[in-house]
Amino acid sequence: MTGETAPGRLALPERTVAARLVVVARAARAEDYDGVLDVLVEAGIRSVELTLTTPGTFDRWAALRERYESVLDLGIGTVTNARDLARAIDAGAAYVVTPITDPALVAQATDAGLPIVPGGLTPTELFSSWSAGASAVKIFPSGVVGPSYLTDLRGPFPDIVAMPSGGVDLDGAAAWLKAGAVAASVGGPLLGDAFRGGDLAALRDRAKAFVDVCAEAGDR
């Protein structure tokens, strides 16, 4: 069975695919999102994953969606159970991301018309999610394997759509995209100390650098 024959596959949001970059926003509290998201938008970021490990993400969701949905694909990440996935569906997330391989979550999301990106590392985990109908699979933690891993995966799974996550820096984003990733999922190397009171001008510069690298990769 190839990815092309899996029923119910949903495409990732167009803005996310065009940008080839997803910023994973993991903060100490949801109240800290706004100032950082303002800078990311100004720098050209067009897709942000808000994580459920940030306390209060669902409480802040409606206000954040109203404020940013015209310029950002807002996804919900670190979804690990059916209850939280149901809340993400009801909240109107642009996509959901999970760090685990669970075909039941893939089915729940796709049945609701919501693109889902499940995480995994081994070929068995990644293909299990892909064959279940995932929009893309998240190679996590990608730093364990490196961009050549995606090239190797494409041998038995030529149609698989994948993105790396976990420690992807600027050079790594370029390398993964060159290897065929649909997008780079980036957290700490881009955000740095922004959620801990860091320099927002420096954040803007880092974000612009990632935007430029991913745009260049998309032009190749």
Side-chain angles (χ1 to χ4, degrees), residues 97-102 117-130 136-145 149 153 160 162-165 176:
V97 182
T98 173
I100 61 175
T101 301
D102 186 344
V117 184
L121 187 61
T122 69
T124 298
E125 290 170 337
L126 296 167
F127 189 66
S128 175
S129 291
W130 180 247
V137 293
K138 180 173 76 167
I139 300 174
F140 174 78
S142 63
V144 175
V145 288
Y149 188 56
L153 286 173
I160 201 165
M163 71 172 69
S165 183
W176 277 102

Side-chain angles (χ1 to χ4, degrees), residues 43-134:
I45 299 297
R46 294 296 175 258
S47 187
V48 174
E49 171 193 334
L50 304 179
T51 63
L52 294 187
T53 51
T54 298
T57 291
F58 276 129
D59 294 333
R60 288 282 300 139
W61 176 262
L64 292 169
R65 183 183 178 194
E66 181 178 2
R67 180 170 179 171
Y68 296 108
E69 68 176 347
S70 64
V71 291
L72 279 178
D73 288 335
L74 279 179
I76 295 178
T78 325
V79 176
T80 59
N81 58 66
R83 181 190 65 254
D84 285 341
L85 179 51
R87 292 189 70 183
I89 292 167
D90 291 342
Y95 56 87
V96 291
V97 182
T98 173
I100 61 175
T101 301
D102 186 344
L105 293 180
V106 176
Q108 182 182 352
T110 56
D111 286 348
L114 179 62
I116 184 169
V117 184
L121 187 61
T122 69
T124 298
E125 290 170 337
L126 296 167
F127 189 66
S128 175
S129 291
W130 180 247
S131 61

Side-chain angles (χ1 to χ4, degrees), residues 35 39 42-43 190 193-194 197-208:
V39 173
E42 182 182 343
L190 188 156
D193 60 356
D199 185 346
L200 293 183
L203 169 64
R204 185 181 301 107
D205 291 343
R206 290 193 301 271
K208 286 181 177 178

Side-chain angles (χ1 to χ4, degrees), residues 20 146-151 154 173-181:
R20 306 199 72 186
S148 63
Y149 188 56
L150 179 53
T151 303
R154 284 285 175 78
W176 277 102
L177 292 172
K178 184 178 180 180

